[in-house]
Amino acid sequence: MPELALSLQFARRLPDAALHRAALPRHRAARWLRAALDEALQAAEITVRVVGEDEGRQLNRDFRGKDYATNVLTFDYCHAPVLQADLVLCAPVLAREAAALDKPLADHYAHLLVHGALHAQGWDHETSEADAEAMEAQETRILAALGVPNPYERG
C-alpha cells in the first residue's frame, strides 16, 4: 500500500460548511483515497480542496474552458513513482447531485474522491466508450470494497 500524504482543505466561505465537513472527515477521505491508489506507487501526495460554486466555476473555466462549476476537478502533476495531485470538489454541486440521486452525501464524496484519484493516475472516461466502461468498473469495484453502493445503478 502506498504511503499517503493528504492535505484536506475547506474554502473559507463555504456554504453549509458543517454539513460538508461531517460528510468528509479526514480519516474517511484518506481511506477512500488509499483504496483508489495503485499498489505499484511508492507514495501519493494529494491535496483535496472543497470549494464553493464561484471558485469551482472559475477553476473549471480557467483550466478546462467550461463556464460552470463541476463536481470534481483533477490536477495531476506526477503519476509515478510518487503520485502528486490536487482534487477540487465543488460542495454545492456534490450536495445537489447527492440529493437528486437520493444518496448520502458521504457516499457521493467517496465516489468523487475515487473518481478524481483514478483520473490522477491516468484513467480517462472521455477518450472512448471502452475507457469509460473500464473506469466505471474500476470505481464500482473500489467502492464496493469500501461498502459504498454502485454509484451508477439507478433505482
Side-chain angles (χ1 to χ4, degrees), residues 2-7 32-48 74-87 113-123:
E3 184 178 323
L4 173 64
L6 171 63
S7 174
W32 297 333
L33 288 168
R34 279 191 188 99
L37 295 176
D38 187 316
E39 292 180 6
L41 291 169
Q42 289 178 3
E45 299 169 359
I46 300 175
T47 297
V48 174
T74 301
F75 299 92
D76 58 325
Y77 310 110
C78 181
H79 290 185
V82 177
L83 175 72
Q84 296 174 330
D86 294 337
L87 305 179
L113 279 179
V114 167
H115 183 87
L118 290 178
H119 270 306
Q121 296 170 90
W123 292 78

Side-chain angles (χ1 to χ4, degrees), residues 119-136:
H119 270 306
Q121 296 170 90
W123 292 78
D124 193 344
H125 55 86
E126 296 181 348
T127 49
S128 71
E129 186 63 33
D131 288 347
E133 289 173 7
M135 187 171 176
E136 183 177 309

